[in-house]
Amino acid sequence: MEAIEKIMEVIRTKLSGYRVETTTVQDVPEPVMLITNPKTGYACGYLFSNIQELLSQGLRPKEIAERFCDGILETEQTHIYLESQMESFEKVKDKLFFRLASPITEREVLQHVVHTPFLDMEIVFYVELPDPERNEYCTRPLISTTLAGRWKKSATELFPVAVKNSMAKKSATLNTAMECREQALKAQPDIDKELGLSEEEIWMMSHDRTMYILTCEGGYGGAACIAYPGTLALIAATLKDDLYLLPSGVHEWMVMSGQYWTDGMENGAAQAFMSLGIPKEEFLTANAYHYKRATDSIEIVPLPVQIGF
């Protein structure tokens, strides 16, 4: 605790006028260091556990504080620019999209942005804007509660707009795992080696016609496709079966026809999930989902997976 107080003291000195305090946040089971600029409304938080991890790596309180200050100043300038571009909802409503977020790995983010539950995940909203420094790229700022308040828009009001744009400009795509591998090889011939695939895994991917990959055009945030109205129903009708959705991160799902799902398959699905090595920043869920064609409903299928973050 003494080290954290030192960090806060350095930040108060370097960021004169900012509020630096410890607080608690609903649904977050530990204290948070909250840093706020009253003039702009910009705020960010750091979990105590994350700070302790930096201390355990040998960083001194002053070094951690300086790192936080540099990051805050850089992020706030970007934040100010982006919010100026999003001043009016009418100005950006055609660029509003949504993606799914993990309440486990994005819990700090969820404290400050508009979100609404979807199964055991959360829906968050973002706008695609040209990157101010790199014209060929775009940036995707999430819609903060502060900005939504200025727009006088709730998650319920943002969702239909984001769905309409997402379905029109980021339409769902479904390909077999075999087709996806062939596309990846064209773009990157040595991808099998880079991923460390065994000969058996390569053979299975080259011949597998039972596993599909569901994502969206462009790929970013493609896991959100399962929240597109009618999408799962259309896939199930095409395959004439129920669907099982296996986790593969925020950008895609692995999809199986129900006829290939057998009792006890949760263990195999868990092993397949762990073998993917999904990084923390792309993690969405460790559960599978059963889409029931007859009732147009989704059930969570817990997998025996231990999450390390």
Side-chain angles (χ1 to χ4, degrees):
M1 192 64 184
E2 182 181 347
I4 290 177
E5 289 292 342
K6 288 181 180 178
I7 293 170
M8 294 171 65
E9 183 180 339
V10 173
I11 293 174
R12 289 190 186 102
T13 301
K14 286 186 168 293
L15 300 181
S16 178
Y18 285 64
R19 286 202 302 266
V20 185
E21 57 192 340
T22 59
T23 186
T24 57
V25 178
Q26 185 177 359
D27 298 328
V28 178
E30 61 176 287
V32 174
M33 180 193 295
L34 183 65
I35 304 168
T36 309
N37 184 344
K39 293 181 179 179
T40 65
Y42 175 78
C44 67
Y46 298 92
L47 294 176
F48 272 30
S49 59
N50 292 343
I51 298 172
Q52 293 292 352
E53 184 178 344
L54 293 173
L55 290 167
S56 69
Q57 293 172 8
L59 291 174
R60 294 175 299 162
K62 184 179 179 182
E63 293 174 317
I64 295 172
E66 289 174 345
R67 179 182 295 188
F68 285 177
C69 289
D70 290 344
I72 288 165
L73 291 174
E74 181 180 348
T75 304
E76 184 172 13
Q77 288 304 310
T78 303
H79 170 81
I80 292 170
Y81 163 78
L82 294 175
E83 292 230 335
S84 71
Q85 300 299 301
M86 299 188 292
E87 182 178 353
S88 162
F89 176 70
E90 291 299 316
K91 186 177 178 180
V92 297
K93 67 179 183 180
D94 293 335
K95 303 171 186 175
L96 180 72
F97 303 95
F98 77 96
R99 68 171 175 85
L100 298 179
S102 166
I104 298 173
T105 58
E106 297 192 72
R107 57 183 176 175
E108 291 179 68
V109 173
L110 292 171
Q111 297 169 32
H112 308 292
V113 303
V114 181
H115 59 96
T116 188
F118 179 78
L119 299 171
D120 59 331
M121 300 165 281
E122 295 287 333
I123 287 173
V124 295
F125 305 92
Y126 66 93
V127 170
E128 282 196 342
L129 297 171
D131 190 298
E133 297 180 358
R134 299 179 295 177
N135 291 331
E136 70 272 25
Y137 293 91
C138 70
T139 186
R140 302 180 178 94
L142 296 175
I143 306 305
S144 67
T145 51
T146 302
L147 182 60
R150 290 208 297 268
W151 288 350
K152 297 182 179 179
K153 298 291 182 182
S154 65
T156 303
E157 293 169 305
L158 293 176
F159 184 65
V161 179
V163 167
K164 179 182 177 182
N165 291 337
S166 296
M167 293 185 72
K169 301 174 183 179
K170 298 177 181 290
S171 57
T173 64
L174 186 73
N175 292 296
T176 65
M178 182 176 69
E179 290 168 337
C180 290
R181 179 175 178 274
E182 290 172 352
Q183 293 171 7
L185 284 172
K186 289 179 182 178
Q188 192 174 346
D190 60 346
I191 192 168
D192 288 340
K193 183 178 180 181
E194 184 175 316
L195 294 175
L197 298 177
S198 66
E199 290 186 7
E200 181 182 3
E201 288 172 324
I202 293 172
W203 187 92
M204 289 179 65
M205 290 184 69
S206 301
H207 295 78
D208 188 357
R209 296 179 184 274
T210 64
M211 184 73 73
Y212 296 84
I213 305 298
L214 174 63
T215 185
C216 69
E217 292 289 342
Y220 179 81
C225 288
I226 68 168
Y228 289 7
T231 295
L232 294 182
L234 178 60
I235 296 171
T238 302
L239 298 180
K240 299 179 181 180
D241 203 351
D242 283 6
L243 305 175
Y244 279 86
L245 308 168
L246 309 183
S248 188
V250 296
H251 302 306
E252 64 184 28
W253 294 96
M254 295 183 288
V255 181
M256 289 179 63
S257 175
Q259 64 180 307
Y260 298 112
W261 185 274
T262 56
D263 290 341
M265 201 160 182
E266 291 85 351
N267 291 326
Q271 291 175 3
F273 170 75
M274 294 302 293
S275 71
L276 295 174
I278 297 170
K280 181 178 179 179
E281 60 271 17
E282 294 184 11
F283 175 84
L284 180 59
T285 178
N287 290 323
Y289 302 87
H290 177 194
Y291 173 77
K292 295 186 175 182
R293 183 186 176 198
T295 57
D296 188 29
S297 60
I298 306 175
E299 284 187 357
I300 297 173
V301 180
L303 298 182
V305 172
Q306 293 293 324
I307 303 301
F309 39 76

